[in-house]
mmCIF file of all heavy atoms in Angstrom:
data_model
loop_
_atom_site.group_PDB
_atom_site.id
_atom_site.type_symbol
_atom_site.label_atom_id
_atom_site.label_comp_id
_atom_site.label_asym_id
_atom_site.label_seq_id
_atom_site.Cartn_x
_atom_site.Cartn_y
_atom_site.Cartn_z
ATOM 1 N N GLU A 12 119.652 108.462 80.917
ATOM 2 C CA GLU A 12 119.587 109.065 79.598
ATOM 3 C C GLU A 12 120.989 109.389 79.093
ATOM 4 O O GLU A 12 121.723 110.143 79.728
ATOM 5 C CB GLU A 12 118.736 110.342 79.631
ATOM 6 C CG GLU A 12 117.288 110.116 80.049
ATOM 7 C CD GLU A 12 116.491 109.284 79.063
ATOM 8 O OE1 GLU A 12 116.927 109.174 77.889
ATOM 9 O OE2 GLU A 12 115.441 108.746 79.453
ATOM 10 N N THR A 13 121.371 108.789 77.960
ATOM 11 C CA THR A 13 122.666 109.057 77.353
ATOM 12 C C THR A 13 122.441 109.530 75.923
ATOM 13 O O THR A 13 121.330 109.440 75.391
ATOM 14 C CB THR A 13 123.551 107.795 77.323
ATOM 15 O OG1 THR A 13 123.053 106.900 76.329
ATOM 16 C CG2 THR A 13 123.551 107.096 78.675
ATOM 17 N N ARG A 14 123.510 109.993 75.273
ATOM 18 C CA ARG A 14 123.380 110.407 73.884
ATOM 19 C C ARG A 14 123.121 109.221 72.961
ATOM 20 O O ARG A 14 122.697 109.384 71.829
ATOM 21 C CB ARG A 14 124.641 111.164 73.452
ATOM 22 C CG ARG A 14 124.660 112.605 73.916
ATOM 23 C CD ARG A 14 125.968 113.270 73.626
ATOM 24 N NE ARG A 14 127.011 112.774 74.507
ATOM 25 C CZ ARG A 14 128.250 113.254 74.525
ATOM 26 N NH1 ARG A 14 128.579 114.238 73.733
ATOM 27 N NH2 ARG A 14 129.151 112.757 75.345
ATOM 28 N N ALA A 15 123.373 108.016 73.454
ATOM 29 C CA ALA A 15 123.074 106.809 72.677
ATOM 30 C C ALA A 15 121.657 106.320 72.940
ATOM 31 O O ALA A 15 121.220 105.340 72.346
ATOM 32 C CB ALA A 15 124.071 105.705 73.021
ATOM 33 N N GLY A 16 120.924 106.996 73.810
ATOM 34 C CA GLY A 16 119.557 106.599 74.124
ATOM 35 C C GLY A 16 119.396 106.221 75.586
ATOM 36 O O GLY A 16 120.326 106.313 76.387
ATOM 37 N N ARG A 17 118.204 105.786 75.925
ATOM 38 C CA ARG A 17 117.877 105.455 77.312
ATOM 39 C C ARG A 17 118.377 104.059 77.676
ATOM 40 O O ARG A 17 118.199 103.104 76.915
ATOM 41 C CB ARG A 17 116.369 105.537 77.514
ATOM 42 C CG ARG A 17 115.871 105.001 78.844
ATOM 43 C CD ARG A 17 114.389 105.221 78.982
ATOM 44 N NE ARG A 17 113.846 104.476 80.107
ATOM 45 C CZ ARG A 17 112.780 104.841 80.794
ATOM 46 N NH1 ARG A 17 112.137 105.951 80.466
ATOM 47 N NH2 ARG A 17 112.341 104.121 81.792
ATOM 48 N N ILE A 18 118.966 103.953 78.872
ATOM 49 C CA ILE A 18 119.430 102.670 79.391
ATOM 50 C C ILE A 18 118.755 102.446 80.739
ATOM 51 O O ILE A 18 118.782 103.313 81.615
ATOM 52 C CB ILE A 18 120.963 102.657 79.560
ATOM 53 C CG1 ILE A 18 121.642 102.817 78.200
ATOM 54 C CG2 ILE A 18 121.425 101.370 80.233
ATOM 55 C CD1 ILE A 18 123.139 102.973 78.292
ATOM 56 N N ASP A 19 118.113 101.293 80.900
ATOM 57 C CA ASP A 19 117.448 100.957 82.157
ATOM 58 C C ASP A 19 118.444 100.254 83.074
ATOM 59 O O ASP A 19 118.934 99.168 82.764
ATOM 60 C CB ASP A 19 116.233 100.066 81.907
ATOM 61 C CG ASP A 19 115.140 100.804 81.148
ATOM 62 O OD1 ASP A 19 114.934 101.994 81.447
ATOM 63 O OD2 ASP A 19 114.508 100.200 80.264
ATOM 64 N N LEU A 20 118.734 100.901 84.204
ATOM 65 C CA LEU A 20 119.702 100.368 85.152
ATOM 66 C C LEU A 20 119.010 99.682 86.317
ATOM 67 O O LEU A 20 117.945 100.127 86.765
ATOM 68 C CB LEU A 20 120.585 101.490 85.698
ATOM 69 C CG LEU A 20 121.425 102.288 84.698
ATOM 70 C CD1 LEU A 20 122.141 103.420 85.424
ATOM 71 C CD2 LEU A 20 122.412 101.389 83.982
ATOM 72 N N ASP A 21 119.603 98.610 86.800
ATOM 73 C CA ASP A 21 119.190 97.974 88.053
ATOM 74 C C ASP A 21 120.249 98.322 89.092
ATOM 75 O O ASP A 21 121.335 97.720 89.123
ATOM 76 C CB ASP A 21 119.074 96.452 87.895
ATOM 77 C CG ASP A 21 117.894 96.060 87.032
ATOM 78 O OD1 ASP A 21 116.866 96.750 87.090
ATOM 79 O OD2 ASP A 21 118.000 95.067 86.285
ATOM 80 N N ILE A 22 119.932 99.295 89.932
ATOM 81 C CA ILE A 22 120.907 99.802 90.894
ATOM 82 C C ILE A 22 120.776 99.035 92.210
ATOM 83 O O ILE A 22 119.692 98.979 92.792
ATOM 84 C CB ILE A 22 120.702 101.306 91.137
ATOM 85 C CG1 ILE A 22 120.889 102.065 89.813
ATOM 86 C CG2 ILE A 22 121.661 101.826 92.197
ATOM 87 C CD1 ILE A 22 120.640 103.547 89.928
ATOM 88 N N PRO A 23 121.867 98.418 92.669
ATOM 89 C CA PRO A 23 121.805 97.646 93.921
ATOM 90 C C PRO A 23 121.418 98.509 95.116
ATOM 91 O O PRO A 23 121.809 99.678 95.207
ATOM 92 C CB PRO A 23 123.242 97.121 94.069
ATOM 93 C CG PRO A 23 123.818 97.160 92.690
ATOM 94 C CD PRO A 23 123.197 98.359 92.038
ATOM 95 N N LYS A 24 120.638 97.917 96.025
ATOM 96 C CA LYS A 24 120.297 98.567 97.289
ATOM 97 C C LYS A 24 121.055 97.871 98.416
ATOM 98 O O LYS A 24 121.426 96.706 98.310
ATOM 99 C CB LYS A 24 118.796 98.480 97.571
ATOM 100 C CG LYS A 24 117.919 99.188 96.565
ATOM 101 C CD LYS A 24 116.484 99.263 97.068
ATOM 102 C CE LYS A 24 115.883 97.869 97.253
ATOM 103 N NZ LYS A 24 114.470 97.932 97.695
ATOM 104 N N LEU A 25 121.253 98.597 99.509
ATOM 105 C CA LEU A 25 121.903 98.041 100.691
ATOM 106 C C LEU A 25 120.927 98.028 101.851
ATOM 107 O O LEU A 25 120.027 98.864 101.930
ATOM 108 C CB LEU A 25 123.137 98.866 101.069
ATOM 109 C CG LEU A 25 124.218 99.029 99.995
ATOM 110 C CD1 LEU A 25 125.351 99.903 100.518
ATOM 111 C CD2 LEU A 25 124.743 97.680 99.539
ATOM 112 N N ARG A 26 121.087 97.055 102.754
ATOM 113 C CA ARG A 26 120.211 96.998 103.922
ATOM 114 C C ARG A 26 120.435 98.193 104.840
ATOM 115 O O ARG A 26 119.502 98.716 105.436
ATOM 116 C CB ARG A 26 120.458 95.702 104.711
ATOM 117 C CG ARG A 26 119.978 94.450 103.998
ATOM 118 C CD ARG A 26 120.137 93.236 104.892
ATOM 119 N NE ARG A 26 119.829 92.003 104.175
ATOM 120 C CZ ARG A 26 119.958 90.790 104.690
ATOM 121 N NH1 ARG A 26 120.396 90.646 105.944
ATOM 122 N NH2 ARG A 26 119.666 89.713 103.976
ATOM 123 N N LYS A 27 121.697 98.600 104.971
ATOM 124 C CA LYS A 27 122.027 99.769 105.777
ATOM 125 C C LYS A 27 122.819 100.743 104.920
ATOM 126 O O LYS A 27 123.717 100.349 104.201
ATOM 127 C CB LYS A 27 122.848 99.374 107.009
ATOM 128 C CG LYS A 27 122.052 98.614 108.053
ATOM 129 C CD LYS A 27 122.885 98.379 109.296
ATOM 130 C CE LYS A 27 122.070 97.656 110.374
ATOM 131 N NZ LYS A 27 122.873 97.408 111.601
ATOM 132 N N GLY A 28 122.486 102.022 105.024
ATOM 133 C CA GLY A 28 123.161 103.016 104.225
ATOM 134 C C GLY A 28 122.582 103.077 102.827
ATOM 135 O O GLY A 28 121.525 102.499 102.534
ATOM 136 N N SER A 29 123.254 103.782 101.946
ATOM 137 C CA SER A 29 122.758 103.940 100.586
ATOM 138 C C SER A 29 123.905 103.829 99.596
ATOM 139 O O SER A 29 125.071 104.015 99.955
ATOM 140 C CB SER A 29 122.068 105.303 100.426
ATOM 141 O OG SER A 29 122.989 106.356 100.673
ATOM 142 N N TYR A 30 123.553 103.521 98.364
ATOM 143 C CA TYR A 30 124.547 103.446 97.298
ATOM 144 C C TYR A 30 124.020 104.191 96.083
ATOM 145 O O TYR A 30 122.856 104.033 95.705
ATOM 146 C CB TYR A 30 124.832 101.989 96.916
ATOM 147 C CG TYR A 30 125.545 101.876 95.584
ATOM 148 C CD1 TYR A 30 126.857 102.311 95.430
ATOM 149 C CD2 TYR A 30 124.875 101.385 94.459
ATOM 150 C CE1 TYR A 30 127.498 102.248 94.200
ATOM 151 C CE2 TYR A 30 125.507 101.318 93.227
ATOM 152 C CZ TYR A 30 126.815 101.745 93.107
ATOM 153 O OH TYR A 30 127.433 101.704 91.878
ATOM 154 N N PHE A 31 124.891 105.021 95.485
ATOM 155 C CA PHE A 31 124.533 105.749 94.277
ATOM 156 C C PHE A 31 125.695 105.626 93.300
ATOM 157 O O PHE A 31 126.840 105.919 93.662
ATOM 158 C CB PHE A 31 124.269 107.226 94.601
ATOM 159 C CG PHE A 31 123.579 107.975 93.492
ATOM 160 C CD1 PHE A 31 122.205 107.979 93.402
ATOM 161 C CD2 PHE A 31 124.307 108.670 92.546
ATOM 162 C CE1 PHE A 31 121.562 108.670 92.389
ATOM 163 C CE2 PHE A 31 123.680 109.353 91.526
ATOM 164 C CZ PHE A 31 122.299 109.354 91.452
ATOM 165 N N PRO A 32 125.455 105.160 92.074
ATOM 166 C CA PRO A 32 126.548 104.948 91.119
ATOM 167 C C PRO A 32 127.359 106.208 90.855
ATOM 168 O O PRO A 32 126.797 107.289 90.653
ATOM 169 C CB PRO A 32 125.822 104.482 89.852
ATOM 170 C CG PRO A 32 124.518 103.941 90.326
ATOM 171 C CD PRO A 32 124.154 104.782 91.510
ATOM 172 N N SER A 33 128.673 106.063 90.846
ATOM 173 C CA SER A 33 129.541 107.227 90.689
ATOM 174 C C SER A 33 129.458 107.843 89.307
ATOM 175 O O SER A 33 129.772 109.017 89.127
ATOM 176 C CB SER A 33 130.992 106.815 90.969
ATOM 177 O OG SER A 33 131.430 105.867 90.005
ATOM 178 N N PHE A 34 129.005 107.052 88.315
ATOM 179 C CA PHE A 34 129.054 107.556 86.943
ATOM 180 C C PHE A 34 127.812 108.323 86.511
ATOM 181 O O PHE A 34 127.785 108.905 85.430
ATOM 182 C CB PHE A 34 129.274 106.396 85.954
ATOM 183 C CG PHE A 34 128.230 105.311 86.045
ATOM 184 C CD1 PHE A 34 127.015 105.430 85.401
ATOM 185 C CD2 PHE A 34 128.469 104.175 86.795
ATOM 186 C CE1 PHE A 34 126.053 104.441 85.486
ATOM 187 C CE2 PHE A 34 127.514 103.168 86.878
ATOM 188 C CZ PHE A 34 126.310 103.301 86.221
ATOM 189 N N LEU A 35 126.764 108.321 87.336
ATOM 190 C CA LEU A 35 125.549 109.022 86.934
ATOM 191 C C LEU A 35 125.759 110.530 86.942
ATOM 192 O O LEU A 35 126.380 111.099 87.836
ATOM 193 C CB LEU A 35 124.385 108.657 87.853
ATOM 194 C CG LEU A 35 123.807 107.251 87.635
ATOM 195 C CD1 LEU A 35 122.616 107.038 88.556
ATOM 196 C CD2 LEU A 35 123.398 107.031 86.200
ATOM 197 N N GLU A 36 125.202 111.204 85.975
ATOM 198 C CA GLU A 36 125.441 112.633 85.752
ATOM 199 C C GLU A 36 125.132 113.518 86.951
ATOM 200 O O GLU A 36 125.883 114.452 87.225
ATOM 201 C CB GLU A 36 124.637 113.106 84.541
ATOM 202 C CG GLU A 36 124.838 114.567 84.187
ATOM 203 C CD GLU A 36 126.246 114.867 83.706
ATOM 204 O OE1 GLU A 36 126.953 113.921 83.313
ATOM 205 O OE2 GLU A 36 126.636 116.038 83.735
ATOM 206 N N PRO A 37 124.038 113.292 87.710
ATOM 207 C CA PRO A 37 123.746 114.179 88.834
ATOM 208 C C PRO A 37 124.896 114.300 89.817
ATOM 209 O O PRO A 37 125.036 115.299 90.499
ATOM 210 C CB PRO A 37 122.518 113.523 89.487
ATOM 211 C CG PRO A 37 121.834 112.849 88.345
ATOM 212 C CD PRO A 37 122.954 112.332 87.483
ATOM 213 N N ARG A 38 125.734 113.271 89.912
ATOM 214 C CA ARG A 38 126.868 113.330 90.808
ATOM 215 C C ARG A 38 127.864 114.412 90.371
ATOM 216 O O ARG A 38 128.660 114.890 91.154
ATOM 217 C CB ARG A 38 127.575 111.969 90.853
ATOM 218 C CG ARG A 38 126.968 111.000 91.832
ATOM 219 C CD ARG A 38 127.197 111.489 93.226
ATOM 220 N NE ARG A 38 126.747 110.509 94.186
ATOM 221 C CZ ARG A 38 126.771 110.696 95.485
ATOM 222 N NH1 ARG A 38 127.182 111.830 95.966
ATOM 223 N NH2 ARG A 38 126.353 109.769 96.303
ATOM 224 N N ARG A 39 127.859 114.760 89.102
ATOM 225 C CA ARG A 39 128.802 115.747 88.585
ATOM 226 C C ARG A 39 128.205 117.148 88.574
ATOM 227 O O ARG A 39 128.910 118.131 88.386
ATOM 228 C CB ARG A 39 129.228 115.354 87.176
ATOM 229 C CG ARG A 39 129.954 114.017 87.108
ATOM 230 C CD ARG A 39 130.089 113.524 85.676
ATOM 231 N NE ARG A 39 130.753 114.499 84.838
ATOM 232 C CZ ARG A 39 130.689 114.469 83.511
ATOM 233 N NH1 ARG A 39 129.993 113.550 82.891
ATOM 234 N NH2 ARG A 39 131.324 115.380 82.798
ATOM 235 N N THR A 40 126.908 117.253 88.762
ATOM 236 C CA THR A 40 126.249 118.549 88.687
ATOM 237 C C THR A 40 126.779 119.513 89.740
ATOM 238 O O THR A 40 127.040 120.686 89.453
ATOM 239 C CB THR A 40 124.723 118.384 88.858
ATOM 240 O OG1 THR A 40 124.238 117.504 87.852
ATOM 241 C CG2 THR A 40 124.021 119.726 88.736
ATOM 242 N N ALA A 41 126.941 119.047 90.970
ATOM 243 C CA ALA A 41 127.425 119.916 92.036
ATOM 244 C C ALA A 41 128.842 120.398 91.753
ATOM 245 O O ALA A 41 129.185 121.550 92.038
ATOM 246 C CB ALA A 41 127.370 119.191 93.384
ATOM 247 N N GLU A 42 129.672 119.521 91.187
ATOM 248 C CA GLU A 42 131.033 119.927 90.868
ATOM 249 C C GLU A 42 131.032 121.003 89.776
ATOM 250 O O GLU A 42 131.786 121.974 89.831
ATOM 251 C CB GLU A 42 131.851 118.715 90.416
ATOM 252 C CG GLU A 42 131.955 117.602 91.449
ATOM 253 C CD GLU A 42 132.597 118.076 92.743
ATOM 254 O OE1 GLU A 42 133.420 119.018 92.695
ATOM 255 O OE2 GLU A 42 132.276 117.530 93.808
ATOM 256 N N LYS A 43 130.185 120.826 88.761
ATOM 257 C CA LYS A 43 130.081 121.827 87.703
ATOM 258 C C LYS A 43 129.577 123.161 88.263
ATOM 259 O O LYS A 43 130.047 124.234 87.886
ATOM 260 C CB LYS A 43 129.129 121.346 86.611
ATOM 261 C CG LYS A 43 129.672 120.226 85.740
ATOM 262 C CD LYS A 43 128.666 119.883 84.663
ATOM 263 C CE LYS A 43 129.175 118.778 83.741
ATOM 264 N NZ LYS A 43 128.168 118.429 82.717
ATOM 265 N N ALA A 44 128.601 123.080 89.173
ATOM 266 C CA ALA A 44 128.040 124.296 89.756
ATOM 267 C C ALA A 44 129.088 125.040 90.568
ATOM 268 O O ALA A 44 129.171 126.270 90.522
ATOM 269 C CB ALA A 44 126.835 123.949 90.638
ATOM 270 N N LEU A 45 129.881 124.302 91.331
ATOM 271 C CA LEU A 45 130.932 124.932 92.118
ATOM 272 C C LEU A 45 131.931 125.632 91.202
ATOM 273 O O LEU A 45 132.346 126.770 91.450
ATOM 274 C CB LEU A 45 131.645 123.889 92.983
ATOM 275 C CG LEU A 45 132.780 124.397 93.874
ATOM 276 C CD1 LEU A 45 132.285 125.498 94.808
ATOM 277 C CD2 LEU A 45 133.395 123.254 94.666
ATOM 278 N N THR A 46 132.311 124.956 90.118
ATOM 279 C CA THR A 46 133.223 125.557 89.143
ATOM 280 C C THR A 46 132.626 126.837 88.565
ATOM 281 O O THR A 46 133.298 127.869 88.453
ATOM 282 C CB THR A 46 133.516 124.563 88.003
ATOM 283 O OG1 THR A 46 134.117 123.391 88.550
ATOM 284 C CG2 THR A 46 134.449 125.176 86.968
ATOM 285 N N ALA A 47 131.338 126.786 88.201
ATOM 286 C CA ALA A 47 130.674 127.947 87.597
ATOM 287 C C ALA A 47 130.647 129.134 88.559
ATOM 288 O O ALA A 47 130.915 130.274 88.169
ATOM 289 C CB ALA A 47 129.252 127.574 87.181
ATOM 290 N N VAL A 48 130.322 128.867 89.822
ATOM 291 C CA VAL A 48 130.231 129.949 90.803
ATOM 292 C C VAL A 48 131.605 130.563 91.054
ATOM 293 O O VAL A 48 131.756 131.790 91.135
ATOM 294 C CB VAL A 48 129.620 129.422 92.123
ATOM 295 C CG1 VAL A 48 129.748 130.464 93.223
ATOM 296 C CG2 VAL A 48 128.150 129.067 91.919
ATOM 297 N N ILE A 49 132.613 129.720 91.185
ATOM 298 C CA ILE A 49 133.968 130.220 91.422
ATOM 299 C C ILE A 49 134.428 131.085 90.256
ATOM 300 O O ILE A 49 134.978 132.177 90.438
ATOM 301 C CB ILE A 49 134.938 129.041 91.639
ATOM 302 C CG1 ILE A 49 134.667 128.387 93.001
ATOM 303 C CG2 ILE A 49 136.392 129.507 91.559
ATOM 304 C CD1 ILE A 49 135.436 127.109 93.232
ATOM 305 N N GLN A 50 134.188 130.610 89.038
ATOM 306 C CA GLN A 50 134.625 131.363 87.869
ATOM 307 C C GLN A 50 133.849 132.672 87.723
ATOM 308 O O GLN A 50 134.412 133.698 87.330
ATOM 309 C CB GLN A 50 134.481 130.496 86.615
ATOM 310 C CG GLN A 50 135.471 129.341 86.586
ATOM 311 C CD GLN A 50 135.331 128.498 85.338
ATOM 312 O OE1 GLN A 50 134.337 128.593 84.620
ATOM 313 N NE2 GLN A 50 136.313 127.650 85.083
ATOM 314 N N GLU A 51 132.566 132.652 88.049
ATOM 315 C CA GLU A 51 131.781 133.879 87.955
ATOM 316 C C GLU A 51 132.301 134.921 88.948
ATOM 317 O O GLU A 51 132.422 136.109 88.627
ATOM 318 C CB GLU A 51 130.303 133.588 88.222
ATOM 319 C CG GLU A 51 129.417 134.810 88.036
ATOM 320 C CD GLU A 51 127.951 134.529 88.298
ATOM 321 O OE1 GLU A 51 127.630 133.498 88.910
ATOM 322 O OE2 GLU A 51 127.124 135.360 87.901
ATOM 323 N N ALA A 52 132.603 134.457 90.159
ATOM 324 C CA ALA A 52 133.156 135.377 91.154
ATOM 325 C C ALA A 52 134.485 135.945 90.670
ATOM 326 O O ALA A 52 134.780 137.136 90.845
ATOM 327 C CB ALA A 52 133.346 134.648 92.489
ATOM 328 N N TYR A 53 135.271 135.109 90.032
ATOM 329 C CA TYR A 53 136.601 135.526 89.566
ATOM 330 C C TYR A 53 136.521 136.613 88.498
ATOM 331 O O TYR A 53 137.190 137.643 88.591
ATOM 332 C CB TYR A 53 137.341 134.296 89.042
ATOM 333 C CG TYR A 53 138.736 134.589 88.548
ATOM 334 C CD1 TYR A 53 139.799 134.722 89.439
ATOM 335 C CD2 TYR A 53 138.999 134.717 87.186
ATOM 336 C CE1 TYR A 53 141.080 134.983 88.995
ATOM 337 C CE2 TYR A 53 140.280 134.983 86.728
ATOM 338 C CZ TYR A 53 141.325 135.106 87.643
ATOM 339 O OH TYR A 53 142.586 135.371 87.189
ATOM 340 N N ILE A 54 135.683 136.378 87.492
ATOM 341 C CA ILE A 54 135.644 137.337 86.383
ATOM 342 C C ILE A 54 134.971 138.647 86.786
ATOM 343 O O ILE A 54 135.164 139.671 86.133
ATOM 344 C CB ILE A 54 134.929 136.755 85.141
ATOM 345 C CG1 ILE A 54 133.461 136.461 85.443
ATOM 346 C CG2 ILE A 54 135.640 135.525 84.629
ATOM 347 C CD1 ILE A 54 132.670 136.038 84.219
ATOM 348 N N LYS A 55 134.194 138.626 87.886
ATOM 349 C CA LYS A 55 133.562 139.864 88.343
ATOM 350 C C LYS A 55 134.451 140.636 89.315
ATOM 351 O O LYS A 55 134.074 141.685 89.813
ATOM 352 C CB LYS A 55 132.210 139.555 88.993
ATOM 353 C CG LYS A 55 131.165 139.118 87.966
ATOM 354 C CD LYS A 55 129.776 139.071 88.566
ATOM 355 C CE LYS A 55 128.742 138.758 87.493
ATOM 356 N NZ LYS A 55 127.371 138.747 88.009
#
C-alpha cells in the first residue's frame, strides 16, 4: 500500500533461509519505535 495506490508485488522466495524486501514499510517500523521510545525517555 502506497500513497499512489496498491501495488501487487511478486516477492522472490529462497529454498533455504528467507528474503524480505528492504523497502517495505514494516522494516522501518521497529526503527521508528526505537526512536520514539528513546525520545520519550529523554523528555521525561
Side-chain angles (χ1 to χ4, degrees):
E12 299 294 341
T13 73
R14 280 173 288 184
R17 170 176 168 152
I18 297 173
D19 293 321
L20 300 176
D21 290 326
I22 299 177
K24 297 190 298 182
L25 303 178
R26 290 185 187 176
K27 289 186 178 180
S29 61
Y30 164 69
F31 194 87
S33 64
F34 57 83
L35 286 183
E36 182 66 19
R38 275 292 186 183
R39 298 168 56 198
T40 302
E42 300 301 331
K43 288 183 179 178
L45 180 57
T46 300
V48 170
I49 289 172
Q50 291 181 345
E51 184 180 16
Y53 181 80
I54 64 173
K55 289 191 175 182

